[in-house]
Amino acid sequence: MSEKILLIDGYSILNRAYYGLPALTNSRHEPTGGIYGFMNIMYKMIDQELPQYIAVAFDVHEPTFRHRMYPDYKGTRKPMPDDLRAQVPVLKELLAASGIRVIECPGYEADDIIGTLSRSCAEKGIKVSILSGDRDLLQLVGENVTQFIPKTKNGTTTTEIYGPEELRALYGTDPKGFIDIKALMGDSSDNIPGVPGVGEKTAIALIGEYGSLENIRDHLDEIKPSRAQNAIREHFDMALMSRTLATIALDAPLDVEAGELRLGDMYTPGAYEIIGRLELKTLMKKFSESGMNAEAPSVKQTSIPDIVPVVCSGMDIGEIDAAFEEAAGRECAVCLVELAGEKRLALAVGTEKVYDIRLAWMTDEELLKAHIEALAGSGASIRTLDLAALLRTFDLKESEAYTDVSIGAYLLNPLKNSYRYEDIARDYLGTVFPAAEELFDKKTVPSDEDEKYRTYFSRQALTALLAWPRIEEQLSQAGMLGLFRDVEMPTAFRLHEMEKAGIRVNRDELASYSRRLGDEIERLERTIYELAGEDFNVNSPRQLGEILFEKLGLPGGKKTKSGYSTAADVLEKLRDSHPLIPAVLEYRTYTKLRSTYAEGLAEYIGDDERIHGHFLQTVTATGRISSADPNLQNIPVREELGREIRKLFIPAEGCIFVDADYSQIELRVLAHFSGDERLIAAYNSAEDIHAITASHVFHVPLAEVTRYQRSAAKAVNFGIVYGESAFGLAEGLGISRKEANSYIADYFATYPGVKQFLDRQVADAKNNGFVTTLFGRRRPVPELKSSNFMQRQFGERVAMNSPIQGTAADIMKMAMIAAEKALRERGLAARIVLQVHDELLIEAPLEEKEAVCALVRETMAGAASLRVPLEVSVESGESWYETK
């Protein structure tokens, strides 16, 4: 079997990867998308072709012999985007660490390097696979040379394969004739002039008939059309020059032979470390799949000592008691480690020893809780990676002794989607550790004697112990240490109390609601079938699209590979075109209500008739709390049928719900930040801000503002907060973009301070790379540096909105902390059971109703001091629905 070499056109593949994927960055906001795409394409090609040799060719940033011949060669090329340019040296470093040779040759291009190597290898009987998106390289294909052209779309890469037959089928000629085609038609990407007026179609036809430039010259009088004949006669010298420019050199002075390019083991510790630094987790998995020893010491950087602590397993009660006594009053780490459904406690006392305590072996479930709480009371500093997990497992009392390292990492970079031990070790200890899924089977509990397990287990606690001082220092430097201690850590305990309390749901009424939805769904199905004139699967976008756009012939059908789009925005535009459309939209509303809420919520109701959901603290970039299992913050509020779900949430016997909701908190934060005198005056006079805005925007007296004008002004008010464009406002209000632009212009004329504030936020974000809330929370805005226009536009909206939404989230957390503290200090039994963005839902005994209403209004209104008052609406009711 012949040996094979893979020759990669470096910049061509890097560019295709970069533009074929969304903008990707790591936790340090370093761009990584080009590298990720390049390596994916390369790995896939190696797996497919199985080459024995490999090289990646790059252009050198200096003039070539072509520039000396024609100074305008490639003169129309746009400069490389900064976020792509930054990835080039890192990619070269990664290739070198993978044992893959990067070849550059001053005065020559990557094409010439590939051409020279392909000729020399083919002559030695080595088969050549060229990987490039540049069709110029098709002139190199031959019996032993094949070109692979990748196509990347939506993250998926496919490959077109070209040999001599495919070249002839496409261009009707051989490789030599292909060069002459390029000479005639030119190349706009390389700024090769060609013959003016001769395009690709004419060039292919002429070379197909005459074979070469010289033969065309010899038969000029026969050339048709006459326009092409005259152009070639006048510019034949330009065609010859263009041919020279387009011809790939086969004799570049390279200092490398094919034998030096042998492909060895790509999955080296050095490459693993770089990929870990880049946070390309999908690529990291390939290393474990390859069998590389991810535990190799050389994987780690020298910024953390090679600590190998003693792991103490199989401990009896006396030994556990002694371990906690040893930790009393010291800096230590307590982490919950779960593998294959089994929980263990990792206790690190210093870096020499980590105690492995299996919860399944504990006969006294309260023993560990007592030990941990005693440790917290001893003056110890307890660091953990997931305080929420510890609280759910042991229901620990609140204490300032606990430090959740992952929450600190979240504050420093809220854009990440993971704050696990391997992420924190990489970001703050300069160490690449493998994740659990790279080491263990999901179903098998590893043995205590498994060295791989013992190392993984101990690293959990050591990461928490050693990373915190560095995170603490960075929080202090960023001005967020106070936010961490006074807001985020107390919030963790408030969220646990809410999870523990849960919220009661009327199970029987929920089942009745589900049946009612089912009846409506069946009725709507019959109506849809009648309107369509046939039965079909209403939930199938393909079948629905065929009914709407083929059978009924409705306008606006856009057909893709998977059929016509029937997305909600498409159907909304067609709502008045046929009665089938509103019926389908209503059907979708009912089916979503039943599947997501009526049936979905039922799965989470516990034996105590309450739902104990999870509240997540490290998910949103703005600091807002999110909810899961189930998402209780996403209960519908707009449609009446959806709002009825709130009737099913009821307080305990003898209790009532008290609902406290901030009024327009984000607009009030905007007034504070902007300092706009008119906006501040409107809030301080307690007037209707939307009506006042309508009066100014529509130039009518306040008393004459119509409901439509107030509604439109409300949309503008909130649209400004979220950085909404004129296009979005026009879509929402059903008006022209010109009108929407006019509304926005009049708004900014009314509140000029708002415009100045928003512009200042964008400018600051561009200069600093982040924006901050009133309380110092940072939101990085890497999107502003993207070469993609849409990404930059999004970044501007983020820069405008994040300080406002983030400040509102901070205030809500401080209000929740203050309200809970006030309830306890007053000795009240009422408890917070739910937080939904700007709203607190409290379950209170009936006799405490008045006291709780007054207390929560006072604490929420006083949670922060702004230039405008914080207004709190407080209502009560026998269901969540009744409080609204």
Side-chain angles (χ1 to χ4, degrees):
M1 183 182 293
S2 298
E3 290 188 311
K4 185 181 293 183
I5 186 169
L6 173 61
L7 301 175
I8 301 176
D9 186 350
Y11 281 124
S12 170
I13 300 305
L14 182 60
N15 272 284
R16 284 184 175 268
Y18 172 78
Y19 288 107
L21 291 170
L24 301 177
T25 60
N26 63 9
S27 62
R28 295 177 297 281
H29 318 307
E30 297 165 342
T32 60
I35 297 172
Y36 172 73
F38 182 100
M39 296 302 288
N40 256 332
I41 294 170
M42 185 185 77
Y43 285 147
K44 182 178 179 181
M45 191 69 183
I46 290 172
D47 290 343
Q48 174 184 316
E49 291 299 292
L50 302 175
Q52 288 74 40
Y53 307 94
I54 188 170
V56 182
F58 281 95
D59 297 332
V60 177
H61 188 62
E62 65 176 65
T64 67
F65 68 89
R66 295 180 180 88
H67 292 91
R68 290 189 287 274
M69 176 186 298
Y70 183 57
D72 290 334
Y73 177 66
K74 291 191 175 181
T76 55
R77 286 275 178 100
K78 292 182 179 179
M80 184 181 291
D82 291 341
D83 55 340
L84 177 56
R85 187 186 307 280
Q87 297 180 63
V88 174
V90 184
L91 174 60
K92 291 179 180 179
E93 179 190 5
L94 176 55
L95 290 170
S98 302
I100 295 174
R101 182 76 172 265
V102 169
I103 303 177
E104 298 170 329
C105 185
Y108 291 83
E109 300 179 53
D111 290 4
D112 302 319
I113 296 170
I114 292 172
T116 301
L117 285 172
S118 68
R119 185 186 70 166
S120 64
C121 289
E123 288 175 349
K124 294 173 183 175
I126 300 174
K127 290 187 176 295
V128 180
S129 297
I130 296 171
L131 179 61
S132 174
D134 187 351
R135 290 180 181 269
D136 290 353
L137 289 160
L138 288 174
Q139 64 185 271
L140 300 176
V141 301
E143 182 181 352
N144 284 327
V145 182
T146 305
Q147 182 175 353
F148 295 79
I149 299 180
K151 303 284 186 182
T152 303
K153 186 175 182 181
N154 300 326
T156 301
T157 300
T158 57
T159 307
E160 296 176 354
I161 304 174
Y162 289 90
E165 291 184 9
E166 290 79 13
L167 177 64
R168 184 167 290 281
L170 189 62
Y171 291 101
T173 188
D174 58 16
K176 188 175 180 181
F178 174 72
I179 301 173
D180 284 359
I181 290 174
K182 297 286 288 186
L184 287 170
M185 61 181 277
D187 186 338
S188 59
S189 66
D190 287 341
N191 202 31
I192 296 176
V195 175
V198 175
E200 182 178 48
K201 204 170 181 181
T202 302
I204 291 173
L206 288 173
I207 296 301
E209 183 172 356
Y210 296 100
S212 68
L213 288 182
E214 285 77 11
N215 206 26
I216 289 173
R217 179 193 57 199
D218 294 342
H219 296 80
L220 258 181
D221 293 340
E222 303 171 14
I223 299 296
K224 292 182 180 180
S226 57
R227 177 175 51 82
Q229 179 187 129
N230 294 332
I232 294 170
R233 179 178 285 112
E234 184 177 351
H235 300 288
F236 189 74
D237 58 337
M238 195 175 293
L240 292 174
M241 181 189 71
S242 297
R243 181 168 66 181
T244 303
L245 293 174
T247 301
I248 293 173
L250 304 178
D251 56 355
L254 305 182
D255 60 353
V256 62
E257 293 289 336
E260 302 172 50
L261 304 176
R262 184 167 289 278
L263 177 61
D265 181 10
M266 298 180 294
Y267 302 106
T268 66
Y272 185 80
E273 186 276 321
I274 295 170
I275 288 175
R277 191 177 78 215
L278 295 171
E279 301 171 22
L280 303 176
K281 292 186 177 180
T282 304
L283 298 186
M284 290 177 76
K285 290 180 182 178
K286 294 187 72 67
F287 283 75
S288 56
E289 292 168 1
S290 75
M292 189 205 87
N293 179 14
E295 299 292 306
S298 56
V299 170
K300 298 189 292 181
Q301 296 181 23
T302 57
S303 56
I304 178 175
D306 289 341
I307 299 169
V308 183
V310 174
V311 178
C312 304
S313 302
M315 304 167 66
D316 60 30
I317 298 298
E319 290 170 325
I320 292 172
D321 293 343
F324 277 98
E325 288 176 12
E326 182 185 350
R330 297 178 60 180
E331 292 181 348
C332 58
V334 177
C335 296
L336 199 66
V337 180
E338 184 171 352
L339 284 174
E342 181 177 278
K343 294 180 180 179
R344 306 189 186 204
L345 199 69
L347 170 62
V349 184
T351 58
E352 298 81 23
K353 192 182 297 181
V354 178
Y355 295 98
D356 180 0
I357 305 169
R358 292 179 72 168
L359 272 61
W361 290 2
M362 298 298 298
T363 55
D364 184 355
E365 294 183 358
E366 292 295 311
L367 178 64
L368 283 180
K369 174 181 177 179
H371 271 313
I372 297 171
E373 290 185 339
L375 184 61
S378 72
S381 173
I382 303 174
R383 298 159 190 174
T384 185
L385 291 174
D386 188 349
L387 180 60
L390 275 179
L391 295 178
R392 289 177 191 134
T393 303
F394 298 109
D395 189 21
L396 303 170
K397 294 176 184 176
E398 184 171 358
S399 170
E400 293 182 357
Y402 301 105
T403 294
D404 191 325
V405 176
S406 65
I407 293 177
Y410 159 72
L411 271 183
L412 289 172
N413 185 0
L415 301 186
K416 295 181 59 180
N417 57 13
S418 171
Y419 300 93
R420 302 196 308 182
Y421 98 103
E422 64 268 23
D423 302 302
I424 292 171
R426 179 193 60 239
D427 296 341
Y428 301 101
L429 300 177
T431 303
V432 178
F433 288 153
E437 53 268 27
E438 296 178 57
L439 298 173
F440 308 109
D441 181 87
K442 290 182 179 179
K443 298 179 181 179
T444 305
V445 179
S447 164
D448 292 349
E449 303 306 316
D450 182 345
E451 191 59 34
K452 189 164 58 173
Y453 162 72
R454 294 164 73 89
T455 305
Y456 167 81
F457 177 86
S458 64
R459 284 176 176 173
Q460 303 274 324
L462 290 181
T463 296
L465 190 68
L466 297 173
W468 172 243
R470 304 183 186 194
I471 290 175
E472 182 179 36
E473 181 182 3
Q474 291 186 34
L475 285 171
S476 179
Q477 291 171 349
M480 289 192 288
L481 192 55
L483 183 70
F484 173 82
R485 288 175 173 163
D486 301 334
V487 178
E488 292 297 339
M489 287 307 299
T491 294
F493 289 97
R494 299 289 72 72
L495 298 182
H496 169 63
E497 291 299 325
M498 284 199 301
E499 290 183 3
K500 186 171 68 169
I503 185 167
R504 187 183 177 200
V505 179
N506 190 322
R507 192 191 296 267
D508 293 338
E509 286 299 317
L510 182 62
S512 174
Y513 179 72
S514 181
R515 288 192 295 272
R516 184 152 55 95
L517 289 173
D519 292 341
E520 286 299 308
I521 290 168
E522 289 181 6
R523 179 188 65 79
L524 283 165
E525 276 184 339
R526 291 193 296 270
T527 300
I528 289 169
Y529 295 157
E530 290 174 8
L531 292 169
E534 63 177 271
D535 292 2
F536 67 100
N537 182 357
V538 185
N539 293 311
S540 166
R542 184 182 60 79
Q543 293 184 32
L544 176 60
E546 290 171 356
I547 293 289
L548 296 177
F549 302 114
E550 292 183 6
K551 182 174 182 179
L552 300 179
L554 298 184
K558 294 182 179 179
K559 195 167 187 179
T560 64
K561 290 181 180 179
S562 58
Y564 293 96
S565 172
T566 59
D569 59 335
V570 174
L571 298 189
E572 282 293 346
K573 292 176 181 178
L574 296 172
R575 180 181 281 274
D576 298 329
S577 301
H578 194 281
L580 180 61
I581 303 294
V584 168
L585 289 169
E586 191 176 3
Y587 172 87
R588 287 182 175 179
T589 298
Y590 278 83
T591 54
K592 181 175 181 180
L593 287 173
R594 184 173 66 170
S595 63
T596 304
Y597 302 108
E599 296 174 352
L601 290 175
E603 298 176 9
Y604 292 98
I605 301 175
D607 294 339
D608 60 354
E609 300 300 312
R610 302 175 80 91
I611 289 177
H612 299 269
H614 287 177
F615 295 95
L616 309 176
Q617 198 171 346
T618 60
V619 173
T620 68
T622 57
R624 272 190 166 187
I625 299 301
S626 56
S627 171
D629 302 324
N631 185 351
L632 295 174
Q633 295 183 331
N634 202 31
I635 304 298
V637 294
R638 294 185 179 178
E639 301 87 1
E640 180 56 32
L641 186 65
R643 289 186 67 238
E644 284 188 25
I645 296 173
R646 295 189 173 211
K647 292 180 180 178
L648 310 175
F649 290 85
I650 56 176
E653 296 295 334
C655 292
I656 196 166
F657 276 150
V658 173
D659 187 281
D661 195 352
Y662 278 120
S663 172
Q664 301 170 359
I665 185 171
E666 291 183 349
L667 284 174
R668 292 171 188 270
V669 169
L670 174 62
H672 174 85
F673 270 130
S674 69
D676 187 272
E677 294 180 0
R678 181 174 278 175
L679 191 57
I680 290 172
Y683 273 118
N684 284 331
S685 62
E687 295 187 49
D688 183 340
I689 189 65
H690 301 314
I692 291 174
T693 300
S695 174
H696 291 300
V697 168
F698 294 104
H699 310 292
V700 297
L702 184 60
E704 297 178 18
V705 170
T706 66
R707 287 183 62 186
Y708 169 78
Q709 289 171 330
R710 184 186 182 279
S711 178
K714 182 178 180 180
V716 176
N717 273 328
F718 286 111
I720 293 298
V721 168
Y722 288 96
E724 188 173 40
S725 66
F727 175 79
L729 183 63
E731 287 277 301
L733 292 176
I735 59 177
S736 70
R737 201 178 304 185
K738 183 178 180 181
E739 286 179 283
N741 270 317
S742 176
Y743 288 0
I744 293 173
D746 287 343
Y747 177 94
F748 285 138
T750 301
Y751 305 120
V754 171
K755 182 69 165 67
Q756 293 166 13
F757 163 72
L758 296 177
D759 289 346
R760 189 166 61 248
Q761 289 304 112
V762 174
D764 288 348
K766 288 179 179 178
N767 289 332
N768 303 325
F770 60 86
V771 290
T772 60
T773 69
L774 184 61
F775 305 99
R777 182 185 303 275
R778 290 185 177 184
R779 199 291 191 185
V781 196
E783 296 89 351
L784 288 173
K785 294 182 179 179
S786 172
S787 60
N788 182 288
F789 174 76
M790 297 300 290
Q791 281 286 307
R792 292 198 304 275
Q793 289 281 294
F794 173 72
E796 291 187 3
R797 292 195 296 273
V798 165
M800 295 176 195
N801 170 252
S802 288
I804 299 168
Q805 191 177 112
T807 297
D810 291 341
I811 292 173
M812 189 71 242
K813 287 177 178 176
M814 292 187 290
M816 186 167 57
I817 294 166
E820 176 70 16
K821 181 180 179 182
L823 289 172
R824 300 291 77 83
E825 287 178 347
R826 291 278 298 274
L828 298 173
R831 55 186 178 173
I832 301 170
V833 294
L834 191 60
Q835 188 252 56
V836 181
H837 305 318
D838 307 330
E839 170 190 1
L840 286 182
L841 188 65
I842 301 169
E843 185 180 71
L846 286 169
E847 62 272 18
E848 293 182 4
K849 172 187 166 184
E850 298 303 324
V852 170
C853 285
L855 183 147
V856 73
R857 177 181 283 110
E858 178 184 351
T859 54
M860 287 181 67
S865 178
L866 304 181
R867 295 176 182 177
V868 299
L870 286 172
E871 185 177 313
V872 183
S873 170
V874 181
E875 301 291 342
S876 61
E878 295 182 359
S879 71
W880 191 9
Y881 180 90
E882 287 186 11
T883 66
K884 290 295 180 184

